[in-house]
Structures are given as C-alpha cells and as structure tokens.
Amino acid sequence: MGTITVVGLGPADEELLTAQTRAAIAAAPRCFLRTRMHPAARVLSDAVAFDDEYEKGESFEAVYEAISERLILESAEGDLLYAVPGSPLVLERTVELLRDAAQSGRVTVEILAAMSFLDVAWARLGIDPVTDGTRLVDGQDFAFAAAGQTGPLLVAHCHSRRVLSDIKLAVEDGPESVVVLQRLGLPDESVFEVAWDDLDRQVEPDHLTSLWIPELDTPVAAEFVRFEELVRELRERCPWDRVQTHGSLRKHLLEETYEALEALDARSELDDREVEAELDAHLVEELGDLLYQIFFHARLGAERGSFTVADVARSVYDKLVARHPHVFGDGAVDGVRGPEDADDMARRWEEIKRDEKGRASAMDGVPMTLPALMLAAKVQERSEGVGLGVDRGGRAGVDGIGDALGTAGANPSVESVGEILFETVALARKLDIDPETALRGASIRFMEQIRSTER
C-alpha cells in the first residue's frame, strides 16, 4: 500500500503555493487533481483530474465518495500525490473521507499544510475571526450547517445562484446586506456589498465565491431545515419519491391524517397534562408522518418555482395573526373567560374568513370532500354562525329526530334517511359531542361485541 500525500493549491494562482507543496509536486511519482477548475491547477498539467466524477455523480457527496475510493485503489499501486483547492483541511470532504479510511487501516495518508482562502478573506474583511467568534460554513449545506447560528458567518462554496437562493430561503429574517468575496488573491478579485434580497439576483457566482454575513437577527432553525433537506434529497434520489405528484400523494395525505387521528383518539382518553410516554411517542410519530406529507407538497411547489415550505409557514402565520385580532389587534384580551367568549371568538373567526375571501354565502368554502358526518356538522356550524341555525321545523334535538323517523317510516327514501342522520348530528352538537367520534366509538364497540360472540 502506497501513501497518499495530500497538498493544497491555495486560494488563488500558483504564487500562493507553499514551498513545501511545490517540492512535493516535483517529487511525486504520480499526481491527481480533484478538479482543474482552480487557478493553480496549471502547475499539475500532467495530473489525472477527477472532473468526470462531477458529470456522473447524483450528488456532491456521491462525487466525493467516488473520488476517495478511486484514490484508495490507486494507492495500491504505490505512492501518489493528491491536490485539492485551498487547504486540505478546510471544507474538503474528500480529505475527510480519506482520513476516515486511514483510521480504519485501508490507506496511509499524509497531509501537508497549505494556505486557504480564509487568510485572504480575513485580510479583506479586516477582522479577527477568533475575537469576533466567526463560524465557517459550507454554502451547499447552509441550512443545516448554520442551524442555530446568528452570525458572524463566512459562507464558502457559493458557486451557483441555486446555492445563493437556498441560503436566502433558509433565513427567516435576513440582514439588510452582506459582503460577497470573489476570486480572492487573483488580479480580478472582487469584494462588494449586496442587499440580502438581491443576493441570488445581482451576484454572478463562480467556484471562488464566498459570502460574509456579519449578523442574523434570528438563528436558522435546525430540525426543520434538516428535515426539509432530507425531503429534497429523497425527492432527488429515491425512485418512489421521484415519480410522485400532488395527485398521487392525495391518498397518502388522507391515510396519514386518519392515522394521526387514531393516535389522537388514544391520547385523548387521558388528561392533557397526564404523561403517557408510549402514547405520546406514537402521537409524535404520526404527526411527523403528516408533517412529511406537507413538506413533500411544498417540495413539489419549490421544484416548479411556485412556493416553498417557508411560504406555507409564512402564509398560515399571517393568516393566524389576522384572524386573532383579540390577541394581536387593538382589542387584545388577556384570555378566554368562558365558553361564551370561545363561541363568540369562533363566530368572529368565521366572519373574518368571509371578509378575507369575499364569500357571499356562509356555505361558500365548505370542503365537499369532508366525510358526511363532518360535512353535516360543518354546514350546521356555518349556518348558526350567521344566525340561521338548523331548527328548520320549529323542533330540535330528540323531537327533530322523532319527526325525521316518522317521515322515513311513512315514505322511506335516501332523502328521509339523510334527514334522520342530519338531525342526529344536530342533537350531537347540541350535547357538545362530536358525531364522527360518537359513531366511530359505537362501531368499535359493536366490533368488540361481534368478536366476543364469535369467541
């Protein structure tokens, strides 16, 4: 097994190569380059470059894994030199993989020190990164790498507008402006300020582009952005996820909703403050499955350039604030004092929704895909919200059901049976009982009765 000597080509052209690196290149029997897309790569004109892996790889991680494996195979033939842009120990994933392989005994690796773009960046920015507490993050993994951070941040590998766009979308409340650093140490070096909102519109990024963010008002959310990245990766790499559409996901959204409801039913038998680890863990799992469906639909929207999960969150945030004037408006109250207050706020909620959407009727916007019992409860609720109620014949509750039964007995039909069910829903609501839950409970009890009889 030969030794892989890893050298760095520095941040710019060959003028910033160390003497040790030059000597290693001159003495190396075989030389390999991660990429020729670097100003100093011309000093290794006869080296074998791995740019072909970028054409074949499905992701950057796949590319870096392929390069490291090829180098390990080549080392079986003897010593070799491997050159990477910048410093081997600064955001160089292939070197990380080689070091992991060395720890497991698969290969011998020697790493030589080199100048990185960081040294030039600190000079251009005029800062001490240690004193200022600066963190270096990879732009290709910004959402996860910067999670929980508020700055200052130096973001490397900002090589495309897609990366810049992802960085901008990952930040809920960005700064007014940031500093772009390009081609540091080269004759066409450029350091300039750009407005945060124009980051992915006015900047022409290349493979030598970095970003300086002095401060973020709010940290990037860790778990949510990691989850969004997972959904994106599954969409790109999983054969099943690749072929899904909004339409094909519909049944899965429905199934996950019902499974979450089942977990809620099991949990609701306890007091909300009571701890039941197993039931809570099950509820967390089912809510997570439902959250995945929402993120998946948002991912499809992002691929069309239409909306992202951030837009989904922003939309419901703005809507909830607008529909809670008693909390966020001029007439804010300390809390709900009783059922009457809660009922009044529910009516105000419906009024605000009608005004927002310009609905002419209380029945506009009722989802016709609701299960029948839920649909009946919804239209009754809406009718009461505009003061019409459901007491159409002057009778309500048990009397209303009795009248409907009499009609059905005299003239049985789909309509008359429907009236019985509709009046039953009205009775359930009058007793503050969810009709869907009540019927489901009755069905489950009957199932158990049948099982008991069969036994």
Side-chain angles (χ1 to χ4, degrees):
M1 181 186 298
T3 296
I4 299 177
T5 300
V6 185
V7 300
L9 297 177
D13 55 26
E14 58 269 30
E15 290 185 6
L16 296 182
L17 288 177
T18 66
Q20 185 183 39
T21 294
R22 290 181 181 276
I25 292 174
R30 295 180 299 153
C31 295
F32 295 83
L33 271 170
R34 176 163 69 78
T35 176
R36 290 198 180 278
M37 291 185 62
H38 190 275
R42 52 178 172 256
V43 301
L44 289 158
S45 57
D46 296 331
V48 175
F50 293 121
D51 291 289
D52 59 314
E53 293 294 344
Y54 290 88
E55 302 296 329
K56 297 183 293 184
E58 294 183 353
S59 66
F60 280 110
E61 183 64 20
V63 170
Y64 300 147
E65 289 176 357
I67 291 174
S68 62
E69 288 301 320
R70 282 178 61 178
L71 286 167
I72 293 170
L73 288 175
E74 290 288 345
S75 70
E77 303 297 324
D79 294 346
L80 61 89
L81 179 138
Y82 174 50
V84 298
S87 166
L89 296 177
V90 177
L91 296 179
E92 186 54 57
R93 179 60 177 156
T94 56
V95 178
E96 289 182 25
L97 294 171
L98 289 174
R99 293 174 73 188
D100 291 342
Q103 289 183 350
S104 62
R106 295 183 60 204
V107 69
T108 301
V109 177
E110 181 185 359
I111 300 175
L112 304 185
M115 184 177 179
S116 78
F117 80 101
L118 297 175
D119 303 286
V120 187
W122 307 141
R124 299 297 183 267
L125 294 169
I127 65 169
D128 181 339
V130 177
T131 302
D132 291 353
T134 302
R135 179 172 177 184
L136 175 65
V137 298
D138 190 334
Q140 298 172 103
D141 193 28
F142 179 83
F144 178 61
Q149 300 297 313
T150 57
L153 302 171
L154 183 62
V155 189
H157 295 165
C158 301
H159 57 82
S160 70
R161 284 190 168 174
R162 180 192 64 79
V163 172
L164 294 177
S165 179
D166 287 346
I167 292 171
K168 192 171 77 170
L169 288 172
V171 177
E172 184 176 340
D173 189 12
E176 289 187 8
S177 63
V178 292
V179 177
V180 178
L181 305 100
Q182 295 185 300
R183 300 174 295 280
L184 296 179
L186 292 172
D188 61 344
E189 172 185 300
S190 179
V191 178
F192 59 95
E193 193 171 324
V194 65
W196 179 260
D197 291 339
D198 296 329
L199 181 59
D200 54 351
R201 293 194 290 264
Q202 292 189 359
V203 178
E204 291 290 346
D206 57 24
H207 64 288
L208 296 176
T209 297
S210 302
L211 192 65
W212 168 248
I213 304 176
E215 186 177 9
L216 294 175
D217 290 336
T218 54
V220 180
E223 296 302 328
F224 280 102
V225 294
R226 187 171 70 144
F227 186 49
E228 184 180 13
E229 176 63 18
L230 174 64
V231 174
R232 183 196 65 77
E233 186 171 0
L234 289 175
R235 174 68 172 168
E236 291 181 356
R237 302 178 63 185
C238 174
W240 185 88
D241 289 63
R242 283 179 181 175
V243 300
Q244 300 309 308
T245 64
H246 288 299
S248 68
L249 289 171
R250 185 182 185 278
K251 63 179 181 180
H252 300 290
L253 177 60
L254 187 61
E255 289 172 2
E256 299 297 355
T257 300
Y258 278 119
E259 290 180 9
L261 289 174
E262 186 176 29
L264 280 174
D265 288 343
R267 183 63 182 84
S268 63
E269 295 177 2
L270 303 174
D271 184 277
D272 285 344
R273 293 181 296 274
E274 188 175 348
V275 176
E276 174 50 63
E278 187 174 348
L279 291 177
D280 284 340
H282 181 49
L283 181 56
V284 167
E285 178 186 356
E286 297 302 339
L287 291 175
D289 290 342
L290 190 57
L291 185 64
Y292 175 60
Q293 293 297 316
I294 296 170
F295 269 67
F296 205 144
H297 283 282
R299 182 70 237 163
L300 297 180
E303 290 174 2
R304 294 195 304 273
S306 178
F307 65 91
T308 68
V309 71
D311 296 309
V312 174
R314 186 181 302 109
S315 172
V316 70
Y317 177 93
D318 294 342
K319 180 168 65 177
L320 288 173
V321 170
R323 292 182 185 178
H324 286 79
H326 53 285
V327 177
F328 303 106
D330 295 335
V333 296
D334 292 335
V336 177
R337 290 176 289 276
E340 297 80 9
D341 283 350
D343 292 341
D344 179 60
M345 289 175 185
R347 285 191 291 272
R348 290 171 62 186
W349 173 279
E350 291 298 332
E351 291 171 2
I352 294 171
K353 284 174 65 176
R354 285 199 302 273
D355 292 341
E356 281 180 358
K357 300 181 180 297
R359 292 170 176 166
S361 168
M363 297 297 109
D364 291 345
V366 175
M368 300 308 293
T369 52
L370 286 173
L373 287 178
M374 294 179 66
L375 178 63
K378 175 61 72 174
V379 299
Q380 290 178 14
E381 179 185 320
R382 287 284 188 92
S383 67
E384 291 174 357
V386 293
L388 297 178
V390 296
D391 186 12
R392 294 165 295 177
R395 299 166 70 83
V398 176
D399 290 339
I401 295 175
D403 290 345
L405 284 169
T407 302
N411 183 25
S413 64
V414 171
E415 289 77 10
S416 61
V417 173
E419 289 297 322
I420 295 172
L421 295 172
F422 193 82
E423 292 293 344
T424 304
V425 170
L427 174 61
R429 294 184 62 251
K430 186 175 182 179
L431 299 175
D432 198 23
I433 294 172
D434 176 43
E436 188 80 23
T437 301
L439 181 57
R440 182 176 297 274
S443 299
I444 292 173
R445 289 192 297 274
F446 183 71
M447 290 168 63
E448 291 303 317
Q449 181 182 344
I450 295 300
R451 290 193 178 100
S452 178
T453 302
E454 289 173 335
R455 286 193 295 270

